[in-house]
Amino acid sequence: MKNLPLIDVAIILMYLAGMVGVGVYFSRKNSRESSNNAEQFTTASGQIPGWAIGMSIYATFLSSNTFLGVPGKAFGSNWNSFVFSLSMPLAAWVATKFFIPFYRNTGEVSAYTNLENRFGPWARSYAVVCFLLTQLARMGSIFFGIALSLQALTGYPMATIMVVVGICIILYTVMGGMEAVIWTEVVQGVIKTAGAVIILWLVVDGMSGGVGKIIDIGQADNKFSLGSYAPDFSQPTFWVILLYGFFMNLNNFGMDQNYVQRYHTTTSIKEAAKSVWLCVYLYVPISLIFFVLGSALYAYYQANPEMMEAVRLQAAADKLPGGTQEAIQQLAATLKPSDFGDKVMPHFMVTKVPAGLLGLIVAAILSAAMSTISSGMNASATVFSVDIYQRYIKSNLTDKQSLRLLYVATTVFGLMGMVTGISMIGVKSILDVWWVLSGIFAGGMLGLFLLGIISRQTRNVEALTATMIGLLVILWMTFSAQIPDSLAYLRSAFHPNMIIVVGTLTIFLVGILLTKIRGKVPENAEEQTVTGA
């Protein structure tokens, strides 16, 4: 590592070795106890305490998209994105009231098995495809985020960093299964939280004028705003982000295999519910710290214009690889804070964080990435094994064959996440990319799931028709900007963050409407499971 002192290199290597060591430990433990099987790999045999699951879910939420993307977003704009966090309690209440008891009572490790029981194989397959695409988008954006920061520190190519980090994640996730994922995330949750607090302290401590000066600059440039309260759904207003956050968090807690799988790792419904609320109690205030950090960095760089200029030049050079110095300087002069917000915290770390602490903060960023990627790999492998391979290829697998399949699938999804991350090199904002992609893939399956849970009279044909209409709406909203100017009246008037909201409501409401049109079914039909058209 070119730019890091030896003590920081040692801390980082110790952290990586420790994470791999956890995987080795649980692999040997399970072998000694003869519990190294598919159930242990996917649900840790349902013996994990609720507080550990809560820390694990919190660590999954607090990814490198939060660690780097949120301060970058606050640096470039304001606290509008914090409204996403404010929506979590309501989504958590719905999840603990309805979703967790539902999943625990079904006993199905996959979140999507019920969709087949309700509407047929197509519904399950559709949700699985949406989930896997969401995971690739999530893992790719997180791989990109970690590489972005470490490139500034080490000078190594981003692709190389993704491969090295990815191999470490694959090793401990494959060897230790869900148990290793959960306990490493408990540690990672503590490390990444400490890292954020340390950086914030360093920024405030180095700011001439302290907290007062940060507040003055932030207020002058409207950095603490939660967004406009106007009823405008074409802009990222308070209401748009609140709706997006509620539907996205409802999808996370209610449909995302990453979280549903954890509900089966606890000893009871009560423990699973406690884990969700612990995540909320931790994430909401900690996410606020990251927004405060972004605003503090903005004030710090405003007070040190030479540092602001250095980041501008760095961002311009990244946008013009091989460009002349004159061209880079001309481009840098046009860049706004929103164009280079993601690069500010890595730059601050390189220039202002002392030796020793830098290694700990890099470990925190690694923790932010590794916790979410490892759980995504495990969940994706589980879904592939249960919902694709055993459903369509070979159902009567032995336990040894199931475990081998999970090993291979975990590795493959880890590698695919790396490739996705490499393809994202050069994007403007990590957080924006992740929010748009997740809204596209998640909107359809949440609407279908709600339709199946709430409307017991809806049949296969209504659900399929509603889903197809919802998909058309999602695709129209997603690619609306590509419509030529001559047909501008056909463009969507909604902000991209509304895709998941409109897509979910379209599928749900169209399904309800079609059910009403068909007419009332016999009373005893509500007790039957609809599996065909």
Side-chain angles (χ1 to χ4, degrees):
M1 295 187 177
K2 298 179 182 180
N3 302 327
L4 294 181
L6 185 59
I7 185 173
D8 295 309
V9 175
I11 291 172
I12 295 168
L13 292 178
M14 286 173 60
Y15 167 76
L16 292 174
M19 294 299 100
V20 174
V22 171
V24 173
Y25 169 78
F26 282 110
S27 177
R28 293 181 176 178
K29 172 178 174 286
N30 294 335
S31 296
R32 288 195 307 268
E33 298 174 356
S34 300
S35 59
N36 196 24
N37 52 42
E39 183 185 5
Q40 178 67 28
F41 189 91
T42 57
T43 65
S45 298
Q47 297 300 315
I48 306 295
W51 68 265
I53 301 300
M55 283 291 295
S56 174
I57 297 175
Y58 159 71
T60 298
F61 261 100
L62 192 62
S63 67
S64 60
N65 288 349
T66 303
F67 207 101
L68 296 170
V70 167
K73 195 72 174 172
F75 181 96
S77 55
N78 50 36
W79 289 5
N80 178 228
S81 298
F82 178 62
V83 181
F84 177 93
S85 301
L86 297 179
S87 72
M88 283 185 70
L90 181 57
W93 180 84
V94 175
T96 55
K97 183 75 173 179
F98 302 105
F99 293 160
I100 290 179
F102 172 78
Y103 286 120
R104 291 284 303 201
N105 290 332
T106 64
E108 298 286 353
V109 69
S110 168
Y112 315 116
T113 304
N114 174 69
L115 289 175
E116 178 171 2
N117 297 335
R118 188 70 179 82
F119 297 126
W122 72 267
R124 181 181 187 178
S125 299
Y126 166 71
V128 165
V129 170
C130 287
F131 169 75
L132 293 178
L133 290 174
T134 303
Q135 289 309 295
L136 286 178
R138 173 184 284 169
M139 288 190 289
S141 64
I142 292 168
F143 267 119
F144 171 69
I146 189 68
L148 182 70
S149 60
L150 294 187
Q151 181 193 42
L153 293 169
T154 67
Y156 289 147
M158 293 176 70
T160 302
I161 294 169
M162 292 186 209
V163 170
V164 173
V165 174
I167 289 173
C168 291
I169 300 172
I170 290 171
L171 284 174
Y172 79 73
T173 305
V174 169
M175 288 189 295
M178 178 55 79
E179 198 168 5
V181 169
I182 289 171
W183 288 111
T184 53
E185 286 183 332
V186 170
V187 176
Q188 289 163 346
V190 174
I191 292 174
K192 66 180 76 175
T193 303
V197 173
I198 290 172
I199 296 175
L200 179 59
W201 177 78
L202 289 172
V203 174
V204 174
D205 184 63
M207 180 71 183
S208 177
V211 175
K213 186 64 174 179
I214 292 173
I215 293 175
D216 290 342
I217 294 176
Q219 288 179 333
D221 291 347
N222 198 34
K223 287 295 173 180
F224 306 129
S225 169
L226 294 178
S228 169
Y229 293 95
D232 181 1
F233 296 97
S234 65
Q235 301 295 324
T237 61
F238 177 92
W239 308 111
V240 166
I241 303 303
L242 186 68
L243 284 170
Y244 170 82
F246 173 72
F247 278 83
M248 198 67 228
N249 284 314
L250 195 62
N251 180 78
N252 289 335
F253 289 133
M255 277 292 293
D256 193 320
Q257 181 69 20
N258 281 293
Y259 306 96
V260 173
Q261 196 166 326
R262 284 175 171 84
Y263 302 155
H264 294 284
T265 64
T266 60
T267 56
S268 66
I269 293 176
K270 185 177 180 180
E271 286 295 301
K274 283 182 179 179
S275 70
V276 170
W277 282 115
L278 177 59
C279 167
V280 173
Y281 296 149
L282 290 171
Y283 185 81
V284 174
I286 297 301
S287 66
L288 179 60
I289 289 178
F290 283 94
F291 282 96
V292 172
L293 174 57
S295 298
L297 284 169
Y298 177 82
Y300 187 93
Y301 275 69
Q302 285 288 340
N304 296 275
E306 71 284 356
M307 294 182 66
M308 182 80 84
E309 183 62 23
V311 179
R312 275 202 178 92
L313 289 171
Q314 179 188 339
D318 290 342
K319 292 177 182 292
L320 289 177
T324 64
Q325 188 64 31
E326 182 180 359
I328 291 173
Q329 289 177 342
Q330 288 178 347
L331 177 60
T334 67
L335 296 181
K336 302 175 182 178
S338 58
D339 295 318
F340 53 86
D342 286 345
K343 295 183 180 297
V344 172
M345 195 158 78
H347 180 266
F348 180 83
M349 291 167 60
V350 171
T351 56
K352 296 298 179 180
V353 177
L357 282 179
L358 185 56
L360 177 61
I361 292 172
V362 171
I365 296 176
L366 285 168
S367 297
M370 296 171 79
S371 58
T372 307
I373 293 173
S374 62
S375 60
M377 287 164 52
N378 187 283
S380 298
T382 300
V383 166
F384 176 80
S385 173
V386 174
D387 295 303
I388 298 179
Y389 194 90
Q390 295 184 54
R391 174 63 181 82
Y392 296 107
I393 301 174
K394 186 178 180 181
S395 59
N396 57 339
L397 294 177
T398 65
D399 198 68
K400 185 175 182 181
Q401 289 173 329
S402 296
L403 192 59
R404 187 184 300 119
L405 174 63
L406 289 166
Y407 289 161
V408 173
T410 301
T411 303
V412 170
F413 280 108
L415 295 174
M416 291 174 66
M418 288 185 217
V419 172
T420 306
I422 292 171
S423 68
M424 289 183 177
I425 294 175
V427 301
K428 178 179 175 181
S429 170
I430 305 171
L431 202 61
D432 286 343
V433 169
W434 161 237
W435 278 19
V436 171
L437 291 176
S438 61
I440 294 170
F441 298 137
M445 61 179 182
L446 178 59
L448 181 60
F449 179 78
L450 293 175
L451 183 63
I453 290 292
I454 295 173
S455 178
R456 299 301 301 171
Q457 293 182 338
T458 300
R459 294 177 177 176
N460 186 8
V461 65
E462 291 95 41
L464 179 57
T465 304
T467 300
M468 292 176 67
I469 293 173
L471 275 176
L472 289 175
V473 171
I474 290 171
L475 291 173
W476 164 65
M477 293 181 68
T478 301
F479 299 105
S480 184
Q482 309 304 319
I483 296 176
D485 292 340
S486 59
L487 300 174
Y489 61 91
L490 295 176
R491 292 173 182 165
S492 168
F494 292 104
H495 187 269
N497 284 348
M498 290 294 291
I499 292 175
I500 186 174
V501 179
V502 176
T504 297
L505 292 177
T506 298
I507 293 175
F508 178 73
L509 295 177
V510 169
I512 295 292
L513 178 62
L514 292 175
T515 302
K516 295 293 185 183
I517 292 174
R518 174 175 54 80
K520 293 184 177 181
V521 297
E523 291 183 6
N524 62 356
E526 293 191 14
E527 304 299 325
Q528 299 173 358
T529 300
V530 181
T531 58

